[in-house]
Amino acid sequence: MTIESSSSITPVSICNTDIGSLPAPFPQLSSNILDLFLLTNKHAVITGGARGIGYVISEAYLQAGISKLAIIDYSNNEPAINRLREQFPKSSINYYDCDVRKAEQVKNVIETIHKEFETIDIFVANAGIAWTSGPLIDQDNDDEWHNVMNVDLNGVYYCAKNIGKIFRQQGKGSLIMTASMSAHIVNVPQLQAAYNVAKAGVLHLSKSLAIEWAAFARVNTVSPGYIATELSDFVPDDIKNSWYALTPKGRQGAPRELCGAYLYLASDAATFTTGSDIKVDGGYCSV
């Protein structure tokens, strides 16, 4: 077998010409690994940050030293915000009411936060709703389909489009999207095709933007499994018991068990991590 010399091999094209000359330079990072996970002097935005998974992400980022935090949610959640302000009096915590289904509202609120914060280092597109209407084929109209798509997928798109412009202007940023294990598998026994499709779209949107934005920002997803939040309070015990049987860890996850993934992706410990997805599902997708 003849092996050609390297000089005769046609070089591959650059996957993103905006990166510039190759190799790209290494970032300058602290030699202390724990320092890399701190969010000191950083500014973050979290959608759906006043309840459920979003609330524990907000709390975790504040514990990690975030300087300014903007929480976007829909409906009055001042009690939750006040609890955070009491816990973390040294951090600036702002609340913004916004319906992520409305493109203009999302654009305006992100522009407002940018003006107030001057820089945005981290954006967590976390707001989402569940599908509770059963088999898709039995729906009398398309209203619920469009509602789930508008919150869980289009809402993430509106956030990404607007924060991406800011990240490009700054030359830095980390966008983290909440996907789901439902982006990878089809859940049973409940039937939730619309939710699965929306979350699969979020997963692939993240990978696509990771390539588009490689020169100036990172884009990643976290895929939670069954998490014990108020979103699943309505689910009957017999269905939850089937979840436990299908999950190798035999239970739902506690919301705080997600925080490590969101902290890692937000931090300087993840400067070479983009286009990735972290499953936190008790092993569900491994079966």
Side-chain angles (χ1 to χ4, degrees):
M1 181 177 68
T2 303
I3 301 176
E4 295 181 348
S5 67
S6 60
S7 60
S8 64
I9 298 175
T10 302
V12 296
S13 60
I14 299 173
C15 69
N16 192 327
T17 55
D18 292 336
I19 292 174
S21 60
L22 301 179
F26 293 120
Q28 292 190 353
L29 301 173
S30 171
S31 59
N32 186 321
I33 188 61
L34 295 181
D35 288 344
L36 294 181
F37 287 92
L38 294 177
L39 303 181
T40 309
N41 298 323
K42 294 184 183 293
H43 304 164
V45 181
I46 302 174
T47 69
R51 69 188 92 185
I53 290 171
Y55 184 86
V56 296
I57 300 169
S58 298
E59 189 176 44
Y61 283 4
L62 288 162
Q63 289 172 343
I66 204 85
S67 175
K68 294 181 181 179
L69 177 65
I71 294 175
I72 296 173
D73 218 308
Y74 184 42
S75 75
N76 184 9
N77 283 286
E78 282 298 326
I81 306 304
N82 288 335
R83 285 198 302 273
L84 290 173
R85 287 172 177 153
E86 290 172 5
Q87 280 182 270
F88 305 98
K90 294 183 179 180
S91 296
S92 174
I93 305 170
N94 294 357
Y95 175 74
Y96 304 84
D97 193 277
C98 175
D99 183 349
V100 297
R101 297 172 297 184
K102 309 295 185 183
E104 197 64 23
Q105 282 192 33
V106 173
K107 177 178 182 291
N108 290 340
V109 77
I110 291 176
E111 288 179 351
T112 297
I113 295 168
H114 186 220
K115 288 177 183 176
E116 293 176 356
F117 283 11
E118 296 184 350
T119 60
I120 299 174
D121 303 285
I122 303 150
F123 194 104
V124 182
N126 168 73
I129 58 173
W131 170 274
T132 60
S133 299
L136 197 68
I137 199 170
D138 293 336
Q139 304 307 304
D140 293 331
N141 56 58
D142 300 327
D143 293 349
E144 193 60 25
W145 167 277
H146 289 302
N147 192 42
V148 169
M149 289 297 163
N150 284 332
V151 176
D152 292 359
L153 180 55
N154 291 337
V156 172
Y157 157 69
Y158 299 145
C159 290
K161 178 181 178 181
N162 288 285
I163 194 61
K165 294 176 181 178
I166 292 170
F167 285 170
R168 182 171 61 183
Q169 175 187 330
Q170 296 174 165
K172 64 174 184 176
S174 174
L175 172 60
I176 305 163
M177 304 174 180
T178 298
S180 173
M181 71 176 185
S182 303
H184 302 269
I185 52 88
V186 176
N187 304 68
V188 291
Q190 74 273 23
L191 302 176
Q192 52 178 48
Y195 183 83
N196 299 346
V197 169
K199 290 301 185 178
V202 169
L203 184 71
H204 213 60
L205 176 62
S206 171
K207 292 179 182 295
S208 301
L209 293 182
I211 302 303
E212 287 189 23
W213 299 5
F216 57 86
R218 298 182 292 108
V219 188
N220 297 284
T221 53
V222 177
S223 285
Y226 293 119
I227 305 297
T229 70
E230 60 267 28
L231 283 177
S232 62
D233 285 346
F234 70 94
V235 179
D237 287 342
D238 61 328
I239 292 181
K240 286 185 178 179
N241 288 336
S242 69
W243 294 353
Y244 308 150
L246 291 167
T247 303
K249 294 294 287 185
R251 60 175 174 84
Q252 293 185 80
R256 288 197 64 79
E257 291 180 293
L258 292 165
C259 292
Y262 285 94
L263 177 59
Y264 167 69
L265 294 174
S267 74
D268 288 343
T271 49
F272 198 54
T273 303
T274 196
S276 294
D277 175 70
I278 300 178
K279 300 185 193 76
V280 188
D281 65 353
Y284 193 105
C285 290
S286 299
V287 176

